[in-house]
Amino acid sequence: MNVDKKALVAAGYDRITESYLRLVASGGPRVRDKYLAIIADRVATGARILELGCGAGEPMTRRLSERYDVVGLDISANQLALARKNAPRARLLRGDMVRLPSINATFDAVTAFYSTTHVPRVEHPSLLAEIHRVLRPNALVVLTMGGSDNPDGYEADWLGAPMFFSHYDGDTNAALVRAAGFEIVSSEDETEDEYGVPVTFRWLVAQRFD
C-alpha cells in the first residue's frame, strides 16, 4: 500500500466526523463503562490523563474530563473541532501519537480507545515506548488494540471515507506491552457490534512498574 497511511487516516476522519459519532453512539456503553470504572478505581480524581486519538471527544474525553485533568491528542483537525465543543474542559492538541509532544514522566495515566489500530503496526513498539516515556512511575495505561492479525488493512469506504487499519493479534499485543516495560493488569478480548457486524478488540490495562 504505497500511500501516506497517517495522512489517509487524518483525511478520512476529517470527512466522517458525524458518521463516526453515530457509530460511537450505536455501540452502547457496556465496554466503555467497564474500562472507565477501572480508571476511576485506580486513578485519583484530578490526576493528569493523556488520551491518544480522542476523536470528537464523545463520550470518553468528555467523561474523563469531568473528573481528571485531560489532554486529548488526535491527528484529525475536524475531529478536534468537534471535541472542543463536546469536551470543553479538556486541553486538545493535534499530533502523531508515535511522537508525543510531552516531557518525560508527565502523566498519571494514558488511554487510547480504538485508535492504535490506525497506526502502522511496525510502529507499535515505538508507540508503546512513547507512552512509557510520558508516564510517571506506577502510572496506568488503558489500550484498545487489535484482536486479530491485520498487517496492512485498507477499506475504500469505511463510514464514508477510505481508512487504514493495522494491528497484531491480541496475544502479540500483550507481549509488546510487556516488552515496553509494563506489568499487565488485565488483557481481555471484548466483542462489540459495529452496525450489525461483531468486531473484537484486545483491551489491555497495564501499569508502568519502574
Side-chain angles (χ1 to χ4, degrees), residues 9 41 54 63 72 86 94 105 119 186 190 198:
V9 170
D41 185 58
C54 64
R63 292 181 63 181
N86 293 329
R94 188 179 182 193
V119 176
S186 66
E190 305 277 7

Side-chain angles (χ1 to χ4, degrees), residues 13 16 19-28 30-32 113-115 117-118 144-145 150 155 157-161 163-165 167 190-201 203:
Y13 271 98
I16 63 169
S19 58
Y20 184 69
L21 273 177
R22 288 193 293 271
L23 173 65
V24 171
S26 73
R30 180 184 64 85
V31 175
R32 296 185 208 126
F113 305 113
Y114 309 103
S115 55
T117 55
H118 294 301
T144 313
M145 303 187 79
N150 183 1
E155 290 191 29
D157 184 357
W158 187 72
L159 304 180
M163 189 56 64
F164 171 77
F165 301 90
H167 46 83
E190 305 277 7
T191 300
E192 301 173 75
D193 182 87
E194 191 172 290
Y195 290 142
V197 178
V199 180
T200 299
F201 295 94
W203 283 76

Side-chain angles (χ1 to χ4, degrees), residues 9 13 20 24 50-61 64 71-76 79-80 83 92-98 100 110-119 127 131 143-144:
V9 170
Y13 271 98
Y20 184 69
V24 171
L50 173 63
E51 186 184 2
L52 301 177
C54 64
E58 185 64 40
M60 303 301 264
T61 316
L64 286 171
V71 176
L73 182 140
D74 203 273
I75 200 170
S76 163
Q79 293 286 336
L80 286 169
L92 302 172
L93 303 171
R94 188 179 182 193
D96 181 350
M97 67 176 73
V98 182
L100 298 178
V110 170
T111 63
F113 305 113
Y114 309 103
S115 55
T116 68
T117 55
H118 294 301
V119 176
L127 167 61
I131 292 172
L143 305 170
T144 313

